[in-house]
Amino acid sequence: ETGVTQSPTHLIKTRGQQVTLRCSSQSGHNTVSWYQQALGQGPQFIFQYYREEENGRGNFPPRFSGLQFPNYSSELNVNALELDDSALYLCASSLGLRGENYGYTFGSGTRLTVV
Amino acid sequence: AQTVTQSQPEMSVQEAETVTLSCTYDTSESDYYLFWYKQPPSRQMILVIRQEAYKQQNATENRFSVNFQKAAKSFSLKISDSQLGDAAMYFCAYRSGQYGNKLVFGAGTILRVKS
């Protein structure tokens, strides 16, 4: 049974650029959630995808968008990058919207630095 | 909106000793779940223990136990017989039972274990 895989592990982008982060969910999981973790803070919920549709969104602007594919993997896209977007981006997969049965499995994250 | 507060930015414990990490939360809901996650330097969030609000009995997982005080909205984590591998950032998290498709995290507590 594979866990959650995120790529890339580290990324450096310039302000104004666009970035795509990828997440492969754990085998058997059909829901993916994305979180932003700024340095020294707890993760903040960005959004969740279930059956290829967004199911809930946190307090993030529209330049944060996502996709979920038929194999349940997911992408997080951020347009017009700002310095404050520098953070660790965590992906979590679950079986069902609330992870009732087995909880959430997190990946090791993508460290994004915007310069 | 629900909030989670961890008032201890950093804690230290001697190996084999016991340490308690504090967490308080604010909610108007009666149905919810509480979690403690561990984030080691590898960055992956690992579930330590989970508590359902409707259960009066405190959850226990081996050396880890919680003190859940629902009326006081307090959810502390006790680590017994601390080991060097317990050193990590610990996050307290809340999830709504009825509407919960996201985790709300506290700011975290860094736990250092001294040999």
Side-chain angles (χ1 to χ4, degrees), chain A residues 35 37 55 98 106 108-109, chain B residues 43-44 95 98 100-101 103:
Chain A
Y35 290 82
Q37 185 179 8
N55 176 65
R98 304 168 192 176
F106 281 83
S108 297
Chain B
R43 310 182 317 198
Q44 184 181 20
R95 199 202 81 207
Q98 184 174 3
N101 62 347
L103 294 168

Side-chain angles (χ1 to χ4, degrees), chain A residues 41-90:
Chain A
Q41 297 181 25
Q44 300 287 319
F45 176 73
I46 302 174
F47 43 53
Q48 182 185 74
Y49 276 84
Y50 174 68
R51 292 185 175 178
E52 303 177 50
E53 299 217 348
E54 185 179 293
N55 176 65
R57 187 180 185 92
N59 189 25
F60 282 83
R63 59 189 185 84
F64 284 77
S65 63
L67 285 172
Q68 186 180 34
F69 300 99
N71 66 354
Y72 307 125
S73 66
S74 178
E75 287 182 353
L76 164 64
N77 299 290
V78 187
N79 293 322
L81 283 167
E82 300 177 359
L83 298 179
D84 284 349
D85 296 334
S86 296
L88 178 67
Y89 289 84
L90 294 168

Side-chain angles (χ1 to χ4, degrees), chain A residues 9-10 33 35 37 40-43 45 48 55-56 88 90 97-100 104-111, chain B residues 33 35 37 39 42-47 50 89 91 95-108:
Chain A
T9 54
H10 296 85
S33 303
Y35 290 82
Q37 185 179 8
Q41 297 181 25
F45 176 73
Q48 182 185 74
N55 176 65
L88 178 67
L90 294 168
L97 296 172
R98 304 168 192 176
E100 292 93 331
Y104 302 90
T105 301
F106 281 83
S108 297
T110 294
R111 172 74 66 191
Chain B
Y33 297 80
F35 306 83
Y37 280 90
Q39 187 178 41
S42 66
R43 310 182 317 198
Q44 184 181 20
M45 287 282 189
I46 300 166
L47 179 64
R50 129 185 185 152
M89 177 75 91
F91 290 98
R95 199 202 81 207
S96 169
Q98 184 174 3
Y99 305 106
N101 62 347
K102 67 177 183 181
L103 294 168
V104 177
F105 287 89

Side-chain angles (χ1 to χ4, degrees), chain B residues 63-113:
Chain B
R63 300 182 294 108
F64 299 88
S65 62
V66 298
N67 183 6
F68 173 47
Q69 301 289 327
K70 191 171 184 179
K73 295 179 183 175
S74 170
F75 183 60
S76 61
L77 174 70
K78 185 172 82 171
I79 305 174
S80 304
D81 185 26
S82 296
Q83 301 174 359
L84 294 177
D86 295 334
M89 177 75 91
Y90 285 80
F91 290 98
C92 179
Y94 170 102
R95 199 202 81 207
S96 169
Q98 184 174 3
Y99 305 106
N101 62 347
K102 67 177 183 181
L103 294 168
V104 177
F105 287 89
T109 297
I110 299 172
L111 178 65
R112 304 192 191 282
V113 181

Side-chain angles (χ1 to χ4, degrees), chain B residues 1 8 13 17 19 24 27-29 36 57 59-60 63 65 67 73 78-79 97-98 102-103 109:
Chain B
Q8 305 155 316
V13 62
E17 298 292 308
V19 64
T24 58
T27 184
S28 59
E29 299 176 331
W36 278 98
Q57 187 173 6
T60 300
R63 300 182 294 108
S65 62
N67 183 6
K73 295 179 183 175
K78 185 172 82 171
I79 305 174
Q98 184 174 3
K102 67 177 183 181
L103 294 168
T109 297

